[in-house]
Amino acid sequence: SKAKPYDGSPYRESRCCPYSAAFSPDGQRLYLAGYSMYSGMSYGRPGKRWLGGVTVVDYEGDAPARIFTGDLNTDSGLTPGVACDSRGNVYVTDYAKDVVDVYDADARKIKSFPAKKPTYIFINPKNGEIYVFSWYVGGYIWGILPELKAQMGQVVQPTLTVLKSLDDPKPVVSY
């Protein structure tokens, strides 16, 4: 059968796309996180599926993306945000576990620090401040992951929290 052209409807789209991207400080690697796709309707609303993990692709050449961390299985985790600092460390938001995990360029976890429902993250390259953005992220995963299932119905307030640095990730201010 002949494929139909994409009509722009997010409810019929089945491609899996990343939510967040970050270049390494040398511009050689691109990290992609927050892979999600719509998967049919649930209770009259479009159902979103999340793939747990982060991929990395070398910017030069034709090599395909490879798994950096996680497994990229459907509904295995909720890691929507990724960022890199000036030292090449990779920050990954783990929404379900309320933490930010930090890895070196070889995918070795070097640190974790708490963050309430971290969705997006940015690192100031000049002073190392960490900006963690939080808001509600939906999908089937709320009924699947035990960490989220226990929190169903709770309100996630949109916030921006500024943390001092990786060496001292204490909150400086929250909006």
Side-chain angles (χ1 to χ4, degrees), residues 39-161:
S39 179
M41 301 291 278
S42 175
Y43 304 104
R45 298 172 55 186
K48 193 170 201 173
R49 306 310 289 254
W50 292 92
L51 281 65
V54 176
T55 61
V56 60
V57 63
D58 296 322
Y59 194 64
E60 296 290 326
D62 295 328
R66 59 197 179 277
I67 292 176
F68 179 75
T69 186
D71 58 19
L72 293 186
N73 288 326
T74 305
D75 297 323
S76 64
L78 184 44
T79 50
V82 65
C84 291
D85 67 19
S86 60
R87 295 183 273 186
N89 296 316
V90 182
Y91 296 65
V92 178
T93 61
D94 189 327
Y95 190 90
K97 295 180 181 167
D98 289 323
V99 299
V100 173
D101 293 319
V102 185
Y103 300 85
D104 66 15
D106 295 319
R108 289 184 295 254
K109 189 185 292 187
I110 58 174
K111 192 171 211 159
S112 291
F113 54 86
K116 183 72 173 163
K117 297 291 169 260
T119 307
Y120 186 77
I121 189 163
F122 174 78
I123 314 303
N124 186 324
K126 294 183 179 179
N127 63 14
E129 281 185 332
I130 304 164
Y131 300 85
V132 179
F133 299 84
S134 302
W135 61 81
Y136 174 77
V137 175
Y140 287 117
I141 200 162
W142 279 86
I144 296 170
L145 283 183
E147 303 96 306
L148 292 175
K149 205 172 189 178
Q151 300 172 39
M152 282 182 75
Q154 294 180 13
V155 175
V156 178
Q157 292 295 329
T159 58
L160 162 60
T161 303

Side-chain angles (χ1 to χ4, degrees), residues 19-30:
Y19 195 78
S20 179
F23 272 104
S24 60
D26 62 6
Q28 298 299 307
R29 295 171 126 188
L30 177 63

Side-chain angles (χ1 to χ4, degrees), residues 154-172:
Q154 294 180 13
V155 175
V156 178
Q157 292 295 329
T159 58
L160 162 60
T161 303
V162 181
L163 307 172
K164 187 173 179 182
S165 68
L166 177 60
D167 297 326
D168 184 13
K170 67 178 178 191
V172 175

